[in-house]
Amino acid sequence: MTENSIIRFGCEATAYSRKLETLFASDLMRKPRPHDWLVRGFLEHDTLVLLFGDPAVGKSLLALDWAASVATGRDWCGNRVERGLVFYLAGEGHHGLSRRLKAWGIATGMECLRGEELWDMPLVVSRHSVGLPSETRMAIEAIDKAADRGGKPRLIIIDTLARCIDGNENSASDMGGFIAACDEMRRRYGCAVLILHHSGHENKNRARAHSSLTCAVDAAYHMHGLNSGIRRLDCTKSKDFEPPAARHFIIHKTLLPPEWWDGNAPTTVPVLVECDESGKAINEPPPF
């Protein structure tokens, strides 16, 4: 391995300093490891997770829903959530995240329950994308700084792969570098790393990019739209747990308070709301 390849894969601090940890099978069996859920049934700690789908299908809305649920400890769709710091690497759409967070608080009722305290939740959002793996160190320094205030991160979100990968997503070597950078962050914090990406151009049921991406992740989820306008979330890979049943969602337009309006024009922001297969909301959000 040359010096350049070490830097390229974002491993300059670990390539020669990390030691290979080993266990005899007898020791392994004396230390049972039950599932360590972040979002029960969907996201585990210390895993690499892929969420893919077409543009504008609701991937970022789901990622923000997971992020805010973890940052507040709110159950997600009836599933227990472990609260902790979330670090959101926003490669796109970061200007609208404040409005979406406000709408999430209104639609979930969390703003009424917790008021201003809600906005002290440990959710940190980057103001620009980073290149992975070349800027892995910069990302880790920012996460470490956030951890000094909010504790060890439970979830890191990369939105999106296309905006954060160095090079060509169809290249085995470029994808290898990106995955190595994600794994470096996962190992450092023992957290879940969620990667948002787009569906394939021809096969919508798989993620775009080199096949090594799907091979590398521990779990994968496909968000896609149905003819009725309902969004469906399917688990397409779950390496170490029983795949959860499909979930259905509608996109609810949430009215923001007047101080968030553009002049006198009322401003509404989309929020993902769980529904049944017919499109009826399971927990009806507040009316306008």
Side-chain angles (χ1 to χ4, degrees):
M1 182 178 286
T2 65
E3 181 179 355
N4 287 338
S5 65
I6 294 170
I7 295 173
R8 176 174 176 71
F9 280 81
C11 301
E12 67 273 19
T14 59
Y16 299 115
S17 59
R18 278 201 307 130
K19 295 181 179 180
L20 182 63
E21 298 179 7
T22 62
L23 283 173
F24 279 100
S26 57
D27 296 324
L28 186 65
M29 299 307 292
R30 290 192 191 101
K31 299 178 181 179
R33 185 181 177 185
H35 287 296
D36 187 11
W37 293 113
L38 178 62
V39 178
R40 180 168 291 277
F42 285 83
L43 299 177
E44 282 193 278
H45 292 97
D46 198 16
T47 58
L48 198 59
V49 183
L50 176 66
L51 171 61
F52 68 95
D54 284 339
V57 77
K59 299 185 302 297
S60 291
L61 293 178
L62 175 59
L64 189 64
D65 194 10
W66 273 338
S69 295
V70 171
T72 60
R74 176 182 182 269
D75 284 359
W76 181 80
C77 296
N79 297 280
R80 186 180 61 80
V81 171
E82 182 175 332
R83 188 182 185 194
L85 174 69
V86 178
F87 196 93
Y88 201 117
L89 278 169
E92 55 188 49
H94 50 272
H95 293 299
L97 279 173
S98 61
R99 293 188 293 273
R100 288 188 173 188
L101 276 172
K102 182 70 174 180
W104 181 89
I106 294 170
T108 59
M110 290 294 288
E111 190 171 54
C112 296
L113 290 173
R114 298 180 61 174
E116 291 301 320
E117 178 191 354
L118 174 65
W119 310 120
D120 289 330
M121 61 181 169
L123 171 58
V124 179
V125 180
S126 73
R127 300 190 67 176
H128 58 82
S129 63
V130 296
L132 299 176
S134 64
E135 295 179 327
T136 306
R137 255 337 111 197
M138 179 170 66
I140 286 176
E141 287 172 3
I143 297 170
D144 283 348
K145 184 177 180 180
D148 288 340
R149 175 177 170 183
K152 187 174 74 169
R154 301 293 186 186
L155 176 63
I156 296 172
I157 297 175
I158 299 172
D159 185 3
T160 60
L161 183 152
R163 292 295 298 270
C164 293
I165 188 174
D166 285 331
N168 186 343
E169 67 183 40
N170 295 304
S171 161
S173 60
D174 291 346
M175 184 57 70
F178 175 83
I179 292 168
C182 293
D183 274 337
E184 186 173 350
M185 290 185 282
R186 175 188 59 78
R187 285 192 301 264
R188 182 180 183 87
Y189 305 110
C191 67
V193 176
L194 176 66
I195 304 165
L196 273 63
H197 197 34
H198 302 293
S199 296
H201 295 298
E202 296 181 0
N203 184 356
K204 299 294 185 180
N205 294 319
R206 65 175 297 273
R208 211 172 65 189
H210 194 270
S211 59
S212 59
L213 172 65
T214 302
C215 294
V217 298
D218 299 286
Y221 293 95
H222 180 205
M223 177 75 90
H224 56 106
L226 306 178
N227 292 333
S228 57
I230 297 171
R231 270 60 172 176
R232 174 173 166 139
L233 180 69
D234 289 308
C235 181
T236 60
K237 180 181 180 181
S238 55
K239 189 168 70 174
D240 292 316
F241 60 91
E242 185 70 20
R247 295 299 177 111
H248 298 83
F249 303 90
I250 52 174
I251 293 180
H252 173 75
K253 297 290 187 179
T254 300
L255 181 67
L256 297 185
E259 61 267 25
W260 291 74
W261 293 2
D262 182 10
N264 293 320
T267 299
T268 60
V269 177
V271 174
L272 212 59
V273 173
E274 187 183 15
C275 65
D276 60 23
E277 294 186 33
S278 72
K280 178 177 174 56
I282 293 175
N283 293 304
E284 195 70 35
F288 285 175

